[in-house]
Amino acid sequence: MNRKLNTTRSHRDNSINFCSGVWEARNDYWIHLSDNADHLFDAETSGGDTEPARHHVAKILQQLEPIESYWSFPGRIQFERLLTLFRDGEFRLFSESVKPIARAVSGQTYRSAPDGPPFAGNDTAADEETRRQLGDDARRPYFEVLIVDNLSAQQEESLRARVRRRRRPEDKFIYEIVTVPSYQDALIAALLNFNLQACVIRHGFLVKSRFTLDILHRLVDGNETALHVLERMSKSERGCWLGAKIAQLRPELDLYMVADVSMENIAGQLCDKFQRVFYGEDDDHELHCSILQAIEDRYQTPFFTALREYSQQPTGVFHALPISRGKSILQSHWIRDMARFYGLGIFMAETSATSGGLDSLLEPTGPMKLAQVLAARAFGSKYTFFVTNGTSTANKIVVQALIQPGDIVLLDRNCHKSHHYGMVLSGARVAYLDAYPLNEYAMYGAVPLKEIKRTLLAFRRAGKLDRVKLILLTNCTFDGVVYDVERVMEECLAIKSDLIFLWDEAWFAFAGFHPTYRRRTGMGAAAQLRERFADPDYHRRYLDFKESFGDTADDARWLSTRLVPDPMTARVRVYVTQSTHKTLTALRQGSMIHIYDQDFKKKVEVAFREAYMTHTSTSPNYQILASLDVGRRQVELEGYELVQIQLNHAMTLRKRIATHPLIKKYFRFLTPTDLIPAEFRPPGVDRYFDSDQSWTCMEQCWRSDEFVIDPTRLTLYIGGTGIDGDTLKHEYLMDMFGIQINKTSRNTVLFMTNIGTTRSAVAYLIEVLAKLALTFDQRTDNMSPAELGRHRERIETLTQRQPPLPNFSEFHWQFRGDPSTTDGDIRKAYFMSHDESLCRYITLADLERQVAMGRTLVSAAFVIPYPPGFPVLLPGQLISKQILAFMEALDTREIHGYRPEIGFRVFTDEALSTKEIAPLRNV
């Protein structure tokens, strides 16, 4: 929803191009308008030439006019007053009026004083009286309500006055209205105005906007044919259509309809997106109360509230936890500094009790149960479960609930290690999928859809498709590669209609709260598929596909065709695990499991609850659970705003690094061209995040491409520095500047913006990279010829001599069984490795020599280099020449599963030649 915006810093500066968010640009516009209004007034007072300043002010006002029509403050009417002052040449009054508005918009102080600063030159007695009567407004959360109706200025003012008269001192929240006249304006307002929490659709709205904005064609339905159809609809049909569109863009908004016909007739026609329908203006009070009650419903945090209230109760603790109520700390002579550091609140809420208003995580019936129900609503799932020991545990819970020993799971080898261990625990037969390699950057991308389909078809040929139970993929990957989730599930269901999908969205919890991202999340795609399978038009599309495709197509045609599943037999069975704490507000290890499974109640619920009991502590951390509850409240009420700001910060970083003359000598952020092979991108779309392009390409790609890049993941290429990623992370970014990052590869480091990122943090990172670039410049200038030669060789190693990433080789026959498919018994290999008599150690040099001689050597352990952080070897996997070449070329400090003093753990020849291994005791 970004576009290039032009304005000026002052009448003496050249035009400045903004390629950041409309929200950020709006704030900057008001600041520039205030500056230029001062220049205009100064020029008039001094008798100078006012024309340059007048021209710049007019240009900024022209840019602001369409944007301001979608906000309650300063509002359309007050903005028109500003225009009138400017056109009438009242430059002093114009400047005085702009200043407080600019401060309120840029600082968002109007959200704590909803009536806004007084407008210069107007009678504000009524506003001051309102402030006096509602003296606590500044402490009440503020929001805005969108009214869709073609109102005159007088009607709008009358409606605004009625809304203010409805306010009561006991109301927990306070709101203002913003009115728009048309269908198109309503959709734009829903996208632009982050203050909106509700929308009231009235009966008199138009279809087309009076503004011509390219956002209509990028983000909303600007198709002329669709608009003509809309114009021919009845008022009630038009209102339902608009409601459905708004719900698609901003599902968190509460929708209401005010009709001018019999509400009994309308109510039966409304889609389930509307909260209520009202008749005319008879129920103004009811509408007002309904709006506030719906906000209260989202605002509630049942478990956090229960825990807070518990902490304020007098109790006598004759149970576990000496730290409860802070007793063991406050009575201590030696650890009172702990209470000073953390504060008493966290200890007052520490308890082992599940009574006194609290609830059990394992068998919730009260506030904990309600907190999870509210989370399911917020994240678009059918069921949501809180997890207090991270997504590693969440992954194991889901796998154990869904998989029985012998079931086949398709698994991306480049996934988190918890999934591999989950396969061991469940006894699954694993068929590893290879993601496309990015050899230049020592990282993998994602698994192509053809690879997934090819694997499924191979199991079908072998007569084993019925045993394939689950596909497990990471969305999005560490480096920001995002799947077309809906298409992957749709085409796989055309091959196996009851396939279950587990999407590991550990780093993607924020994505459900932005319209661009939502369609590529597991829960968003599941809801879309369920709705599509119920659509009669989709049934006709399937019948056409079936007739044209036939039943005897060969694998090549299955791979090259966009498959359509039978909507009568396809089951939508989707599970998502999320590390809420990684990208949303929650304490460390706070995670969630989201479920959208049509067959959960019939087939999974009992097993899921047993798995949940297996892996969940009987003493869960209540502070983590309460933080998940509060984090849910936050994203339901302001998630869209926070995610868009996060995106804006990422865009600012990309732009500044790409255009800074010194920084770009050594650093650049990787683009879709770098991270997604051309075969997965349409021709010509390669830089949709660069500073010289708008968001148009991003929107197109996120709707259609097989893979896209999350712009909030910023992979910085550092090959030109001659320093590897691990060294840059520790010795430069962290030790010198205190900048924390997570992932590196040999020649990249990964930065991520999140909902807590600030503009100051962005500016600091730019400053640090500029300082590093200057340091590297000076270092190179001071090198001797020999040092410079070694430096250039190091750069060449990092930029041109990257070892090719190895694919998964295969399981040894001892762990495969059926040579026609790739699945293997990783559980058997894992527990065999516990028997010392079946294993030995071998150095890397000996491994290379023996493999070159044709010896069969099989890993008895997980071998995971950090970086890049994915398993290179797994228990039961053949050790190939390619894997050894990759290991030899690595210069990483840390390799899990490899002991430098004795080497790699492998199975003995005797272990591999034995037909059956005796059961291991004490395992």
Side-chain angles (χ1 to χ4, degrees), residues 407-411 423 428-432 811 822-826:
D407 285 344
I408 296 172
V409 176
L410 273 56
L411 178 63
M423 298 301 112
R429 295 190 64 83
V430 185
Y432 282 108
F811 286 107
T822 60
D823 55 300
D825 189 345
I826 191 173

Side-chain angles (χ1 to χ4, degrees), residues 232-387:
R232 292 195 297 270
M233 290 181 178
S234 66
K235 291 180 180 179
S236 59
E237 291 176 321
R238 189 183 296 177
C240 289
W241 183 274
L242 173 58
K245 287 290 184 182
I246 290 176
Q248 190 177 43
L249 293 172
R250 299 276 305 276
E252 74 276 13
L253 297 186
D254 301 312
L255 295 175
Y256 304 89
M257 181 178 286
V258 176
D260 63 348
V261 296
S262 171
M263 64 179 184
E264 293 84 358
N265 295 334
I266 290 292
Q269 301 172 18
L270 289 181
C271 66
D272 60 0
K273 308 298 182 185
F274 285 87
Q275 296 276 98
R276 282 191 64 179
V277 57
F278 297 93
Y279 179 71
E281 317 217 334
D282 292 348
D283 291 320
D284 262 8
H285 180 70
E286 283 298 314
L287 175 58
H288 171 78
C289 292
S290 296
I291 289 171
L292 292 179
Q293 181 57 51
I295 299 299
E296 170 68 21
D297 186 38
R298 282 190 276 151
Y299 187 81
Q300 66 173 313
T301 47
F303 188 76
F304 170 69
T305 301
L307 188 62
R308 185 177 57 190
E309 291 174 353
Y310 171 85
S311 72
Q312 297 167 0
Q313 297 174 6
T315 61
V317 179
F318 294 91
H319 195 0
L321 298 181
I323 204 172
S324 179
R325 320 295 289 184
K327 300 291 187 179
S328 64
I329 299 173
L330 297 178
Q331 296 180 55
S332 171
H333 298 289
W334 296 95
I335 62 171
R336 290 176 185 173
D337 54 336
M338 186 178 184
R340 288 194 295 270
F341 179 74
Y342 285 106
L344 271 180
I346 191 171
F347 304 115
M348 296 299 290
E350 189 60 84
T351 179
S352 289
T354 57
S355 57
L358 297 177
D359 201 358
S360 166
L361 178 61
L362 296 176
E363 290 289 348
T365 58
M368 176 55 63
K369 182 176 181 179
L370 180 55
Q372 293 181 133
V373 168
L374 294 176
R377 179 186 66 188
F379 287 88
S381 67
K382 296 299 183 183
Y383 311 95
T384 288
F385 295 86
F386 290 174
V387 180

Side-chain angles (χ1 to χ4, degrees), residues 40-52:
L40 179 57
F41 177 54
D42 290 345
E44 180 189 50
T45 303
S46 64
D49 183 5
T50 62
E51 190 53 36

Side-chain angles (χ1 to χ4, degrees), residues 1-5 22 66 70 188 191-192 211-222 693-696 699-700:
M1 54 180 280
N2 297 33
R3 59 192 182 112
K4 186 171 284 189
L5 300 169
V22 174
Y70 304 114
I188 298 172
L191 286 167
L192 292 187
F211 300 114
T212 303
L213 298 176
D214 57 354
I215 192 173
L216 284 172
H217 304 288
R218 296 205 309 272
L219 296 176
V220 301
D221 187 1
Q693 295 195 22
S694 70
W695 285 88
T696 305
E699 286 299 325
Q700 293 171 350

Side-chain angles (χ1 to χ4, degrees), residues 585-601:
T585 299
L587 291 176
R588 186 78 166 175
Q589 295 190 9
S591 296
M592 296 187 191
I593 299 170
H594 303 297
I595 300 172
Y596 200 119
D597 183 353
Q598 288 179 259
D599 297 332
F600 180 74
K601 284 287 185 182

Side-chain angles (χ1 to χ4, degrees), residues 172-207:
K172 292 184 179 180
F173 316 101
I174 188 167
Y175 69 89
E176 287 286 355
I177 63 168
V178 53
T179 66
V180 295
S182 73
Y183 165 86
Q184 288 186 325
D185 288 314
L187 295 181
I188 298 172
L191 286 167
L192 292 187
N193 189 340
F194 52 74
N195 288 327
L196 292 180
Q197 296 293 343
C199 174
V200 179
I201 298 175
R202 291 158 64 98
H203 46 75
F205 68 87
L206 307 174
V207 173

Side-chain angles (χ1 to χ4, degrees), residues 413 417 420-421 432 444 806-811 826 829-830 842 844 847 851 857-865 869-887 890 895-898 903-907:
R413 184 170 60 96
K417 65 180 182 180
H420 303 285
Y421 290 118
Y432 282 108
Y444 286 100
N807 283 333
F808 179 76
S809 51
E810 62 179 292
F811 286 107
I826 191 173
Y830 177 84
I842 184 170
L844 179 59
L847 263 178
V851 169
L857 292 169
V858 179
S859 176
F862 289 97
V863 177
I864 307 174
F870 53 81
V872 174
L873 287 169
L874 305 154
Q877 181 184 352
L878 291 178
I879 301 176
S880 67
K881 293 179 181 178
Q882 292 77 16
I883 292 171
L884 293 177
F886 179 76
M887 292 292 295
L890 282 178
I895 303 177
H896 296 182
Y898 171 69
F904 293 88
R905 186 176 173 89
V906 299
F907 286 113

